[in-house]
Amino acid sequence: MLFAQFTTAMAQEKKLFTLEDLNFGGNNFYNLQPQNKYYEWWGDQLVRNDVEECYLVDKKTGKETLLFTLDEVNQWAGSDDIKRVRHLLNANFPYADKPLVAVGNGRAFMLVDFKAHQTVWQDSVSGQTANDWSKDSRATAYVKDHQLYVQDEAEHTHQLSTDGSRGIVYGQSVHRDEFGITKGTFWSPDGKCLAYYRMDQQAVADYPQVDVFERSAAYQPDKYPMAGEQSHSVTVGIFNVETGRNVFLQTPKDGHTAPIAQDGKLSDEPCYFTNIAWSPDSKTVYMFELNRDQNDCRLVSYNAETGERMKELYREQHDRYVEPLHPIVFLPWDGSKYIMQSQRDGYNHLYLCNAADGTILKQLTSGPWVVLDLLGFNQKSRSVVIASNECNPIQRNTWAVDVKTGRRTLLDNGRGYHYASLSSSGAWLIDRYSEPTVPRVITVQTAQAKNKPVQLLVAEDPWKDYQVPEYTSGTIKAADGVTDLYYRMVKPANFNPQKKYPTVIYVYGGPHAHNVDARWHYCSRSWETYMAQKGYVVFILDNRGSENRGREFEQATFRQLGQVETDDQMQGVAFLKSLPYVDADRIGVHGWSFGGYMTITMMTHHPEVFKVGVAGGPVIDWKWYEVMYGERYMDSPQQNPEGYAKCSLLNQAKNLKGKLQIITGYNDATVVPQHCLMFIAKCIEEGTQPDFFVYPGEPHNMRGHQSVHLHERITQYFEDYLKPLPLTPSEEGE
């Protein structure tokens, strides 16, 4: 008894968290993050960047030697205020054999020779949209006033387009950032040619966004292609910096995407072009081409000089969908072979292919696990270095795969979540990792696992002075009774199993995301810590449909989004109800985006279970969501009317019983406000009573300190409606 009282007293002496501590927009957030250090490779030499210094690091001992300082860089650059470098954290070393550091400040970009103490090159177009610099030719591609330009090393400017506009977009990401696309320009290995996207979205309907901060609210429309409607068309151009020649790849029908016919028939012609790659000799462009139905994918080669379509190298079809996410990567020691990633056997794996005809020479990796990333190559050992979850579905570990034999060698400790980066030859790697009880460790080692790693940082627990909840993880069975689902649970500090706790389920549940990782605190979101501190149990479950568990797991939700996911989440509810410390009468749910959709789905499909919910930026009906995402998982509304009706939350508005708060950014261009507004209109018609809150001017996610306000609002809603104990019969009588 005395020991228990002593333990409680000690815990009470520790600090309590605020949202200013925990939320990324909070004033004290970064002070409570694990200590970090920033490293860059200079060839096979390791450099540590700090705010005002860069140090050369001995990889065998960790000893540091000063390379140069911020004041020296600015002195050598002769920087006026426009060119003055503010810090060195983003400094990088693009040439393995030259003492050149690339530095900039968003307005100026320079190469500084830190041995000769002088600037050797600088550009004058930094800060422009879609800025993309080639270290090989020192040419820069950028967009200005909707037009695409290239400035070469001698600062000659080439204008590649004249018809750019809001409707015709050059050199930027296309297809709504789906299919692994993150940008719109792609330099050849020699830096002499630029591949770029041209997107014609003139026929795409405008969504009428409004800027309410103008004196008279201003119309600011977004081009938003909704499922089943007219989408944009895309072509790929090639510009030769030396000759000035500009050609377009001769793709089928130039990526034309006509409206879907009333009978739901889609064109078989490719319309999505993605994962652009170059041959090592810069003469050939490769890309994956996908039909609008997203069930027929082809890898095609093109002549970079003429734009001629050369050969279809690979074709993959599936009765649900095929989703290319990774460009091919050539072996650095053999330009006649490349590595392709595919889920063709049910899990994302590596395939070695012949570049001449696309023949698959061998499958390099296999098994019921996923290759998460191709990190690079160790040229000496002739191996490809990958990240995978082979050790455990919630882990990320680094492996070397011998290209000749397929033999895999684990390059880390086999635990936790690891992010490795390779030196230019691939002989060395930096490993940044955490484990559920380890905030952050950084090591350096050879990429052959022969030497013991040298520790560069072991971060202390930044929360050691605070009352910290209990974080655990485990598995339950999915609704199919077979599949393992991983969960995370956060319990209050000083947890008492004899008490009954209100419980909140945090949910996302959608594709290309997961919540439970074997990193610090099992990757718990800081809001969960805040809620646990206030006396809640918080539960998070990765249902079928989430990522990194293989094709069948991910595609179980096809044509019926929200249904299988909810079935799995209700298995989580059954698990919670089996726990003696969970108050089954006080269960709430919260999620954002797909998680907002899941929140309302769970509340309206199981109104007897969930007392309170907060849905942020929720999808309500998939016919109002974008073409690429919506049609991949649901087909089009014309093809799958029953599925769209079944998954629409408009039909469920009448079932709402618990307290529901819906929150959205007023200028959300991802899940447009039409979703929330139409659900509210339906609730009015049905006589149900959700609450609604809007953040003016904000997009899909709240930015900066507004996020603190948002999470306080979410918290308060549960405090008001879930935290209080239900009245006893006698109290109700009073």
Side-chain angles (χ1 to χ4, degrees):
M1 182 67 177
L2 287 174
F3 177 76
Q5 290 174 342
F6 174 76
T7 303
T8 301
M10 289 291 290
Q12 289 174 346
E13 289 178 5
K14 294 206 168 191
K15 299 177 184 178
L16 295 177
F17 292 105
T18 70
L19 282 176
E20 298 292 354
D21 301 322
L22 294 171
N23 188 270
F24 70 88
N27 296 325
N28 199 40
F29 174 75
Y30 291 102
N31 293 327
L32 288 182
Q33 295 304 292
Q35 181 189 0
N36 202 0
K37 291 184 178 180
Y38 302 90
Y39 293 91
E40 289 285 338
W41 287 108
W42 172 24
D44 280 346
Q45 297 189 80
L46 184 62
V47 175
R48 182 173 73 85
N49 294 343
D50 210 332
V51 175
E52 296 189 351
E53 300 91 16
C54 285
Y55 298 89
L56 191 64
V57 182
D58 187 313
K59 300 187 296 294
K60 296 181 179 179
T61 66
K63 182 181 178 181
E64 298 183 347
T65 305
L66 182 67
L67 266 184
F68 51 81
T69 69
L70 178 63
D71 287 342
E72 287 174 330
V73 167
N74 281 320
Q75 179 183 345
W76 302 333
S79 300
D80 53 31
D81 187 59
I82 291 179
K83 293 186 291 183
R84 177 166 292 278
V85 180
R86 309 303 181 192
H87 62 79
L88 294 175
L89 292 177
N90 296 325
N92 66 87
F93 302 80
Y95 306 103
D97 57 346
K98 298 177 182 178
L100 300 180
V101 58
V103 292
N105 61 10
R107 295 181 294 173
F109 178 71
M110 298 168 287
L111 290 175
V112 177
D113 188 321
F114 51 85
K115 289 191 176 179
H117 299 176
Q118 62 183 6
T119 299
V120 299
W121 180 86
Q122 67 183 48
D123 79 358
S124 59
V125 294
S126 287
Q128 300 289 347
T129 301
N131 188 280
D132 188 6
W133 178 71
S134 167
K135 71 181 181 65
D136 301 284
S137 64
R138 297 183 185 174
T140 303
Y142 63 96
V143 173
K144 183 179 181 181
D145 298 328
H146 299 296
Q147 308 305 337
L148 179 62
Y149 298 87
V150 167
Q151 185 179 91
D152 61 27
E153 183 178 14
E155 295 197 74
H156 298 136
T157 300
H158 309 264
Q159 184 170 345
L160 278 60
S161 68
T162 57
D163 59 343
S165 65
R166 190 174 74 86
I168 299 180
V169 179
Y170 283 92
Q172 298 177 62
S173 180
V174 300
H175 303 325
R176 302 286 296 183
D177 299 333
E178 298 291 338
F179 316 109
I181 298 171
T182 59
K183 62 174 191 168
T185 54
F186 310 87
W187 284 106
S188 61
D190 61 10
K192 295 179 181 179
C193 290
L194 178 77
Y196 61 91
Y197 281 126
R198 178 188 186 273
M199 176 172 64
D200 185 343
Q201 56 180 1
Q202 295 177 97
V204 175
D206 280 331
Y207 186 85
Q209 299 281 8
V210 177
D211 180 1
V212 298
F213 292 97
E214 293 289 330
R215 173 63 180 83
S216 296
Y219 180 52
Q220 290 188 342
D222 287 325
K223 292 291 186 181
Y224 196 97
M226 291 183 179
E229 300 297 323
Q230 176 71 56
S231 187
H232 54 243
S233 61
V234 168
T235 51
V236 177
I238 307 289
F239 176 72
N240 188 306
V241 179
E242 290 187 337
T243 66
R245 188 179 184 192
N246 204 18
V247 300
F248 281 89
L249 302 186
Q250 298 168 19
T251 53
K253 294 190 177 180
D254 292 330
H256 178 65
T257 54
I260 296 175
Q262 287 301 311
D263 62 2
K265 183 174 176 56
L266 300 178
S267 169
D268 290 330
E269 294 292 343
C271 66
Y272 299 129
F273 302 133
T274 184
N275 300 298
I276 292 172
W278 285 88
S279 61
D281 63 7
S282 300
K283 293 181 179 179
T284 308
V285 172
Y286 302 83
M287 66 183 181
F288 286 97
E289 301 179 352
L290 190 65
N291 65 334
R292 181 158 175 173
D293 219 7
Q294 301 186 44
N295 57 13
D296 189 352
C297 176
R298 312 172 194 222
L299 174 63
V300 180
S301 62
Y302 288 87
N303 184 308
E305 182 179 358
T306 66
E308 177 187 1
R309 184 181 179 91
M310 296 169 60
K311 186 182 290 289
E312 181 180 305
L313 298 166
Y314 174 75
R315 186 174 185 180
E316 184 174 333
Q317 297 171 297
H318 194 267
D319 58 358
R320 293 183 176 180
Y321 56 87
V322 181
E323 188 178 9
L325 292 170
H326 310 279
I328 62 171
V329 181
F330 281 83
L331 301 183
W333 57 85
D334 184 354
S336 69
K337 299 180 180 68
Y338 61 78
I339 289 177
M340 177 182 70
Q341 298 187 49
S342 170
Q343 287 200 93
R344 57 182 281 147
D345 77 343
Y347 295 86
N348 190 56
H349 282 298
L350 305 185
Y351 296 82
L352 182 67
C353 304
N354 186 321
D357 58 11
T359 301
I360 295 178
L361 303 174
K362 68 171 72 172
Q363 183 171 348
L364 284 178
T365 61
S366 62
W369 47 271
V370 172
V371 173
L372 301 170
D373 200 2
L374 192 162
L375 302 174
F377 298 90
N378 184 333
Q379 299 191 47
K380 183 177 180 180
S381 66
R382 296 293 194 262
S383 60
V384 54
V385 181
I386 64 170
S388 81
N389 62 2
E390 178 177 357
C391 294
N392 188 292
I394 65 170
Q395 291 183 199
R396 174 187 168 108
N397 299 97
T398 308
W399 298 76
V401 182
D402 188 296
V403 172
K404 184 176 182 180
T405 67
R407 181 175 177 268
R408 297 190 299 280
T409 303
L410 182 64
L411 298 181
D412 60 37
N413 63 12
R415 305 185 303 272
Y417 220 79
H418 295 251
Y419 288 94
S421 62
L422 294 177
S423 66
S424 62
S425 73
W428 293 84
L429 65 83
I430 283 278
D431 183 17
R432 300 170 173 86
Y433 71 91
S434 71
E435 298 176 33
T437 59
V438 177
R440 178 177 284 126
V441 176
I442 304 177
T443 64
V444 61
Q445 67 180 67
T446 66
Q448 294 171 298
K450 291 182 178 179
N451 298 330
K452 183 179 179 180
V454 174
Q455 287 188 338
L456 302 175
L457 171 68
V458 179
E460 290 187 355
D461 185 347
W463 292 10
K464 64 183 184 300
D465 296 327
Y466 289 79
Q467 288 190 32
V468 179
E470 176 185 337
Y471 306 90
T472 57
S473 180
T475 63
I476 63 171
K477 292 299 181 183
D480 64 6
V482 176
T483 308
D484 285 333
L485 304 177
Y486 286 82
Y487 71 81
R488 174 175 69 246
M489 185 176 288
V490 186
K491 300 174 185 174
N494 304 316
F495 173 74
N496 181 353
Q498 305 304 316
K499 289 180 60 176
K500 291 279 191 180
Y501 290 89
T503 299
V504 174
I505 295 171
Y506 174 76
V507 62
Y508 181 76
H512 289 297
H514 66 283
N515 282 304
V516 186
D517 280 341
R519 51 182 130 182
W520 194 39
H521 297 160
Y522 291 102
C523 201
S524 178
R525 300 169 68 252
S526 55
W527 178 76
E528 297 162 22
T529 295
Y530 191 59
M531 291 295 284
Q533 180 177 274
K534 288 183 172 291
Y536 297 83
V537 168
V538 186
F539 181 78
I540 300 91
L541 180 71
D542 284 331
N543 51 248
R544 284 174 294 166
S546 55
E547 67 179 355
N548 299 338
R549 295 290 305 278
R551 186 169 61 194
E552 287 305 308
F553 186 97
E554 295 165 15
Q555 296 191 358
T557 63
F558 183 62
R559 291 186 121 224
Q560 52 171 348
L561 287 177
Q563 310 306 301
V564 169
E565 301 95 319
T566 297
D567 291 343
D568 284 354
Q569 289 293 329
M570 294 311 295
Q571 292 299 110
V573 170
F575 169 67
L576 289 172
K577 287 184 174 182
S578 74
L579 302 175
Y581 49 83
V582 169
D583 187 340
D585 293 325
R586 292 189 293 163
I587 295 179
V589 58
H590 164 54
W592 201 272
S593 193
F594 198 103
Y597 171 68
M598 286 294 296
T599 295
I600 303 178
T601 301
M602 292 161 69
M603 287 196 71
T604 54
H605 283 71
H606 299 277
E608 74 287 354
V609 172
F610 299 100
K611 184 177 181 181
V612 181
V614 179
V619 172
I620 296 298
D621 193 307
W622 291 102
K623 69 173 176 286
W624 293 318
Y625 201 65
E626 63 182 33
V627 165
M628 299 82 192
Y629 185 107
E631 293 180 2
R632 179 188 312 134
Y633 302 118
M634 290 289 292
D635 280 336
S636 71
Q638 296 92 326
Q639 293 170 298
N640 183 22
E642 299 85 1
Y644 275 80
K646 180 181 180 181
C647 300
S648 173
L649 295 179
L650 296 178
N651 303 324
Q652 304 298 322
K654 62 182 179 296
N655 298 328
L656 181 63
K657 291 182 179 178
K659 292 294 295 184
L660 170 65
Q661 178 174 227
I662 300 171
I663 305 175
T664 191
Y666 184 72
N667 295 94
D668 191 337
T670 303
V671 181
V672 294
Q674 184 172 3
H675 288 269
C676 295
L677 297 174
M678 293 308 294
F679 184 74
I680 291 169
K682 192 66 175 178
C683 286
I684 294 169
E685 179 183 325
E686 299 289 353
T688 51
Q689 294 283 347
D691 294 322
F692 186 47
F693 192 84
V694 171
Y695 281 86
E698 289 299 293
H700 190 50
N701 298 102
M702 303 313 116
R703 299 166 293 183
H705 202 265
Q706 298 215 53
S707 181
V708 175
H709 185 278
L710 166 67
H711 284 87
E712 188 57 61
R713 181 167 193 86
I714 295 168
T715 303
Q716 193 59 50
Y717 203 75
F718 288 110
E719 289 281 273
D720 289 344
Y721 298 111
L722 188 66
K723 185 73 171 287
L725 287 167
L727 296 175
T728 65
S730 61
E731 289 172 325
E732 288 180 344
E734 293 174 3

